[in-house]
Structures are given as structure tokens and as C-alpha cells.
């Protein structure tokens, strides 16, 4: 085994000798410390030099000479400690990844081949991504498509099973071809061997299926993507709209299907998609009317003057939701990892005895709303203030908490117990299922108080019931915004009209956002931007 300390000292002594510095002038303990501090600086390339490299070589839209590429390659490997002979090629292709830089990227791969260097899978994968970028700006030539197929053949023949990243690269390459994009479908299955297919892989393949007029395949993959909790990119909806616009007879049906999909999954489209909808309406005014609009007080559309639909669910939907919650959320194989059968039974008996309630409060969630480091007396006082908020409105309240709350401030806890029903679980129990059970068990008119968005519980219900649960949650969830310095609380009350795409009469109201984001917030905030849409029958 090498003595690392000795090697470092030897290396440092050589540096000092080469620089003319006497080794004996520095004590041994300073050698390692000084070397460690200066090491990141050794060979560091100034940012302005990197900018010069980019502007001189990578901003071009044409091939570079072998001499130019050799200079770029050696500069990067010699100047950056994290760049080496293994990853430098993929890094270089990453620096010329824009659509117009395809000739530059191809010339670098050709340079490697002329030097007898075989590009690795990561490098060729990056090249496929550049082809994909070019495909989004223009139709690729037959020669370019043949190059893509050749790269994919080479990569697939080298390995029986590809990793998820390589599969994604091949999918992005194959969808840029006209005749071979179907070869990407088995690659999606291959990705599932090790992980869930990525947003990019799903979106690229779905968009290609739509543009190739394979609408049912596109919709099937789109539903599968949503089930995997992945949000489709804008290209999916842009491709669907472009394909739908080719047949005016079926345009209305395709738009209805799209808006119903947005409604069911509570998806906000981006301004990029909105612009295509507006352009489509301008081109086909007899088929489609699209207007950007805003909401007035109480959810009234400023364009059509209709009020958005009330968010409440029907009695039948509520009954189905309550029954499914008991089976899919509260009574699960792993439920007793969070509680015990005895405690669950004790809680259900308590609810049967004391329900119905007007509001169920998650005591710990409320107490910790303004910070978890506060003393127990402050936590108890905040919870008591929330109980008082509902007591003053003549509401019957259940407070859920944990056993350790018995040690909190006695005056505040006595007020809570005098003005609310209180059930304390053991200190390891997960509160949310208990909270939702008590709320649902109490009936359609019962609200609950918590800042938790209940994402995991909603997902367990499945696609159809998740949408119903979200509507019920929006109508019934209160939460604490803040507490003022004077001790007053500001409570966020439920918004009573729908916040997702939906139809009022024959008019669709579709919310949208400025730009796509893979993980949008799931809070119940009123979108600022809406479309008012009428589709001709």
C-alpha cells in the first residue's frame, strides 16, 4: 500500500524545488496544510480563458480542424482537475449541445476517430442529444437520420442491457428519425428494469407518437407517465395540438380530450402551449375561440361573466371517497408500522362516540407552524389560539395530538381540553390518516386544520379518486398562515371554486402558468392566468 502522506510530501517538495523555494524553510506540519490550501489553485483555468475557449471554438456553427480540437482537448484536461481522458469527450460535446452546433459536435467525433480514439457510450449519447436538439428546430436530412441509426446500432450491439441514462440518450436520438422511432419503445421497457423512465424519455416518445399520428399510443404512454408521477413537458401538448389541427373534423374531440385530461390530473399548461392554442383559434375561428382572461371576485370570469364551478363533490363521490380511504389509506399492509391495532381501534371507538365534528385539528402540525424550536408553553398557546378561533365561530372541534403534549403548559392545555375533544396518540404514530379518518367519518360538512398537503395519501387513492380527494381537500382544509406579534393568527380559509381546468356550460376555463416546471407546488393557490375557451360542436 502506498504511503499517501509520503507521496504528498514528495510531490510538494518537487513543486518547491522547481520554484526555487527551500524545503527546510517550512515546518512539516505546514507542508501538508499549505499544499492542501493551494491544491485547488494548481492549474486552475481562469473563467475568462474558458469564455474565450467557448467563443473561439464552441460558438462556431461549422467543423473545426484537428489542430483546433487537439488544443481544446489538451487545454481542458491540463487545466481542470475533474477533467480527464475518460470524461473529456462527453464534456466537450456537452459544451456544443445547441441545435446549431450539430456540425461542431460531429466534427469533434470525427476528430476522435481520425486520432484512433473510440468515443465511449457517454460521448455518443451526448451526440444523440445534439441531434435531438437540431430535430426540434428543423427536419433532419436522411443522411443525418442514418447517422443516428448507425450510432444506436453500435451502442445496442455492444450491450444486451443498457443503463437508464443510455436508454434515454437512444430514445432522444431515435425520435428524431422518421422511420425508426418505434425502436425507442423497447428502450422504455429497458429503463423500467432499473428505474422509472425519466420525464425527458417519456415526453420525447409521447410527442413523437402524437406527431406520427399514433394518438392512442401517445395517450396510453401519457396516462402511464402521469401514473408514474411524472409531469409531461410542453412538447407533448404542442405535438398533440399540431397533429389535431391537421383534421378540423376531429379537432373539437381532441381538444375536449386534452382539457378533460388537464382537469382530471390538475395540470397547468405553460404560456408556450397557450400561444399555440391562441394561434390555432386565430386560424380556425369557426371551430375554436380562445381568450386570455382573469378572475374577478368569487371566481367570476371577466370574459364570459360566468362563475367557476363550485369545488364541492357530490354525496355519491364523498361516500366512495370515504370508503376507499378506509381501505386504501387507513387499513393498509404497513399501517401498523405507524400505529398499533389496539390504538387504531381505540381511536375509531372514540370517534364513533364523540363525532360528528365541525373541524378536526392536527395539534402538532398547528403548534409547529411557526417553528419547531419554540418552548412548549408557546406551542400550547398557539394551539389554544387556533381552538379559540373555531370556538368563537361556534364550531365543535376535535384536536389530535401525541402523548408528550400532556407535558405542555397546563393552562393552555386545560383550555384546549375544556373547549375541544382531544385524542392523544403514542409519540410514534403518524397523525395524518387519523386526521383524515375523523374528518371523513364526520360527514360532508366537516373541515380540517393542517398545513400538510397530504400528497402521499392522495396518491394511494388512484387517479380517479385522487382528483375527487383533491377537490374535497380544497373545500375543507384550513391552515395557519402566520401569527402576529400581538398573538393574533391569520388563517387561510378554503377557496370554494375550482382551481383546475373545467367546463361551465359549454365554456372551458383553463388555468396556465408562465413556464413548465417538473415539480409544481400542489398548494391551493388561485392561478393568476386563465383561458376562456369555446369549442364549436
Amino acid at each position: 500500500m502506498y504511503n499517501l502522506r509520503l507521496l504528498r510530501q514528495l510531490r510538494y517538495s518537487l513543486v518547491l524545488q522547481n520554484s526555487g523555494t527551500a524545503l527546510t524553510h517550512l515546518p512539516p506540519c505546514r507542508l501538508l496544510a499549505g499544499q492542501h490550501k493551494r491544491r485547488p489553485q494548481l492549474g486552475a483555468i481562469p473563467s475568462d480563458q474558458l469564455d474565450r475557449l467557448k467563443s473561439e471554438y464552441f460558438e462556431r456553427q461549422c467543423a473545426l480542424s484537428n489542430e483546433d480540437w487537439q488544443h481544446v482537448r489538451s487545454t481542458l484536461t491540463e487545466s481542470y482537475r475533474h477533467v480527464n481522458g475518460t470524461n473529456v469527450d462527453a464534456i466537450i460535446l456537452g459544451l456544443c449541445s445547441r441545435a446549431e452546433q450539430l456540425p461542431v459536435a460531429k466534427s469533434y467525433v470525427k476528430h476522435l476517430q481520425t486520432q484512433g480514439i473510440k468515443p465511449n457510450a457517454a460521448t455518443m449519447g451526448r451526440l444523440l442529444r445534439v441531434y435531438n436538439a437540431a430535430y426540434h428546430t428543423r427536419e433532419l436530412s436522411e443522411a443525418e437520420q442514418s447517422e443516428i441509426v448507425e450510432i444506436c446500432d453500435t451502442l445496442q450491439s455492444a450491450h444486451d442491457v443498457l443503463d437508464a441514462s443510455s436508454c434515454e440518450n437512444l430514445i432522444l436520438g431515435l425520435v428524431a428519425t422518421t422511420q425508426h422511432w418505434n425502436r425507442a419503445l423497447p428502450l422504455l421497457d429497458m429503463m423500467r428494469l432499473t428505474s422509472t423512465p425519466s420525464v425527458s424519455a417519456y415526453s420525447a416518445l409521447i410527442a413523437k407518437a402524437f406527431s406520427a399520428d399514433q394518438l392512442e399510443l401517445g395517450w396510453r404512454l401519457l396516462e402511464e407517465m402521469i401514473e408514474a408521477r411524472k409531469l409531461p413537458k410542453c412538447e407533448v401538448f404542442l405535438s398533440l395540438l399540431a397533429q389535431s389541427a391537421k383534421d378540423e373534423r376531429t379537432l373539437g374531440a381532441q381538444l375536449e380530450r386534452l382539457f378533460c385530461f388537464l382537469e382530471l390530473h390538475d395540470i397547468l399548461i405553460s404560456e408556450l402551449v397557450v400561444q399555440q392554442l391562441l394561434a390555432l383559434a386565430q386560424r380556425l375561428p369557426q371551430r375554436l375561440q380562445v381568450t386570455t382572461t382573469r378572475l374577478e371576485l368569487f371566481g367570476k370570469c371577466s370574459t364570459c361573466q360566468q362563475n367557476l364551478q363550485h369545488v364541492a363533490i357530490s354525496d355519491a363521490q364523498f361516500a366512495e371517497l370515504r370508503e376507499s380511504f378506509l381501505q386504501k389509506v387507513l387499513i393498509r399492509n404497513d399501517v401498523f408500522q405507524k400505529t398499533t391495532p389496539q390504538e387504531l381501534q381505540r381511536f375509531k371507538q372514540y370517534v364513533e362516540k364523540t363525532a360528528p365534528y365541525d373541524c378536526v385539528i392536527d395539534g402538532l402540525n398547528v403548534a409547529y407552524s411557526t417553528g419547531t424550536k419554540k418552548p412548549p408553553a408557546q406551542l400550547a398557546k398557539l394551539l389554544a389560539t387556533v381552538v379559540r378561533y373555531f370556538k368563537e365561530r361556534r364550531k365543535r372541534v376535535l384536536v389530535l395530538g401525541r402523548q408528550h403534549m400532556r407535558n405542555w403548559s397546563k393552562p393552555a392545555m386545560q383550555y384546549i381540553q375544556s373547549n375541544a375533544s382531544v385524542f392523544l396518540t403514542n409519540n410514534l404514530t403518524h397523525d395524518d390518516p387519523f386526521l383524515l379518518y375523523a374528518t371523513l367519518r364526520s360527514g360532508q360538512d366537516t373541515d380540517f386544520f393542517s398545513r400538510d398537503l397530504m400528497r402521499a395519501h392522495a396518491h394511494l387513492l388512484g387517479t380517479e379518486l385522487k382528483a375527487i380527494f383533491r377537490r374535497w381537500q380544497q373545500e375543507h382544509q384550513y391552515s395557519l398562515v402566520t401569527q402576529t406579534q400581538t398573538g393574533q393568527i391569520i388563517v387561510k380559509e378554503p377557496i370554494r371554486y375550482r382551481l383546475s381546468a373545467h367546463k361551465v356550460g359549454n365554456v372551458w376555463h383553463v388555468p396556465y402558468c408562465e413556464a413548465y416546471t417538473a415539480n409544481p407546488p400542489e398548494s391551493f393557490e388561485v392561478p393568476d392566468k386563465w383561458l376562456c375557451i369555446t369549442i364549436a360542436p
Side-chain angles (χ1 to χ4, degrees), residues 170-461:
L170 264 68
I171 289 171
L172 293 177
L174 289 167
V175 298
T177 68
T178 305
Q179 301 295 329
H180 301 274
W181 67 271
N182 273 304
R183 285 178 51 182
L185 291 168
L187 291 168
L188 205 63
D189 293 328
M190 193 179 292
M191 291 183 80
R192 295 190 189 96
L193 296 176
T194 55
S195 63
T196 303
S198 63
V199 169
S200 294
Y202 264 129
S203 295
L205 196 45
I206 295 167
K208 186 65 179 185
F210 282 147
S211 67
D213 203 23
Q214 298 287 321
L215 297 183
E216 291 310 313
L217 172 61
W219 278 111
R220 179 175 64 78
L221 291 174
L222 189 52
E223 293 288 355
E224 181 184 298
M225 182 181 187
I226 291 295
E227 186 63 28
R229 303 175 82 172
K230 306 284 186 182
L231 191 64
K233 290 185 176 181
C234 302
E235 64 181 295
V236 168
F237 303 122
L238 294 173
S239 178
L240 176 61
L241 289 174
Q243 186 62 33
S244 300
K246 293 179 182 179
D247 188 348
E248 290 187 32
R249 296 169 302 173
T250 60
L251 174 62
Q254 288 298 331
L255 290 176
E256 289 281 350
R257 187 173 184 179
L258 170 60
F259 297 149
C260 285
F261 175 82
L262 299 178
E263 175 182 15
L264 179 61
H265 300 293
D266 198 11
I267 294 174
L268 267 67
I269 55 176
S270 70
E271 285 190 358
L272 200 60
V273 180
V274 168
Q275 291 305 316
Q276 185 151 334
L277 277 168
L278 290 168
L280 186 58
Q282 190 172 13
R283 184 164 68 86
L284 300 170
Q286 74 283 4
R287 295 281 184 182
L288 181 67
Q289 295 177 13
V290 181
T291 308
T292 57
T293 190
R294 59 184 176 81
L295 297 185
E296 297 174 354
L297 200 60
F298 306 119
K300 185 177 182 179
C301 174
S302 62
T303 298
C304 68
Q305 296 299 303
Q306 295 189 87
N307 287 310
L308 298 191
Q309 191 180 98
H310 196 281
V311 74
I313 60 177
S314 68
D315 290 341
Q317 288 173 322
F318 178 77
E320 183 184 6
L321 175 62
R322 180 164 62 180
E323 180 63 28
S324 294
F325 176 83
L326 293 178
Q327 296 300 322
K328 296 181 179 180
V329 179
L330 190 64
I331 305 172
R332 292 163 53 210
N333 292 334
D334 64 343
V335 69
F336 297 124
Q337 295 177 13
K338 306 289 178 63
T339 184
T340 64
Q342 295 77 17
E343 182 175 61
L344 182 58
Q345 186 60 30
R346 183 169 65 90
F347 174 69
K348 291 171 72 174
Q349 290 174 350
Y350 183 84
V351 171
E352 291 298 323
K353 179 181 176 181
T354 59
Y357 319 104
D358 295 309
C359 185
V360 182
I361 298 175
D362 185 337
L364 274 184
N365 186 281
V366 167
Y368 292 149
S369 291
T370 58
T372 60
K373 303 296 184 182
K374 295 185 177 180
Q378 244 179 296
L379 299 176
K381 188 175 180 181
L382 176 57
L383 179 55
T385 304
V386 172
V387 170
R388 184 178 296 110
Y389 173 89
F390 288 101
K391 185 67 177 177
E392 289 172 350
R393 288 157 179 77
R394 301 179 182 276
K395 302 294 185 181
R396 193 157 184 269
V397 174
L398 167 65
V399 174
L400 290 176
R402 295 186 186 170
Q403 292 291 342
H404 68 80
M405 292 168 61
R406 293 185 186 278
N407 301 322
W408 286 6
S409 167
K410 286 188 177 179
M413 292 304 294
Q414 285 174 353
Y415 174 84
I416 293 169
Q417 290 171 332
S418 299
N419 292 277
S421 299
V422 178
F423 186 90
L424 301 179
T425 65
N426 73 59
N427 291 332
L428 298 178
T429 297
H430 194 54
D431 297 343
D432 295 342
F434 284 64
L435 173 82
L436 295 174
Y437 171 81
T439 308
L440 289 166
R441 181 65 187 83
S442 287
Q444 265 272 49
D445 298 325
T446 304
D447 301 315
F448 68 96
F449 198 109
S450 174
R451 297 179 75 181
D452 196 307
L453 294 174
M454 311 294 176
R455 296 186 189 93
H457 307 303
H459 182 68
L460 289 171
L461 293 168

Side-chain angles (χ1 to χ4, degrees), residues 121 155-167 170 186-187 189-195:
L155 292 175
Q156 286 187 281
S157 63
H159 305 279
D160 291 332
V161 178
L162 296 169
D163 62 87
S165 179
S166 297
C167 287
L170 264 68
L187 291 168
D189 293 328
M190 193 179 292
M191 291 183 80
R192 295 190 189 96
L193 296 176
T194 55
S195 63

Side-chain angles (χ1 to χ4, degrees), residues 125-142:
R126 286 288 181 91
L127 180 58
L128 289 174
R129 288 176 176 270
V130 186
Y131 276 107
N132 183 270
Y135 160 72
H136 279 88
T137 62
R138 61 179 175 83
E139 184 176 347
L140 299 187
S141 67
E142 289 187 9

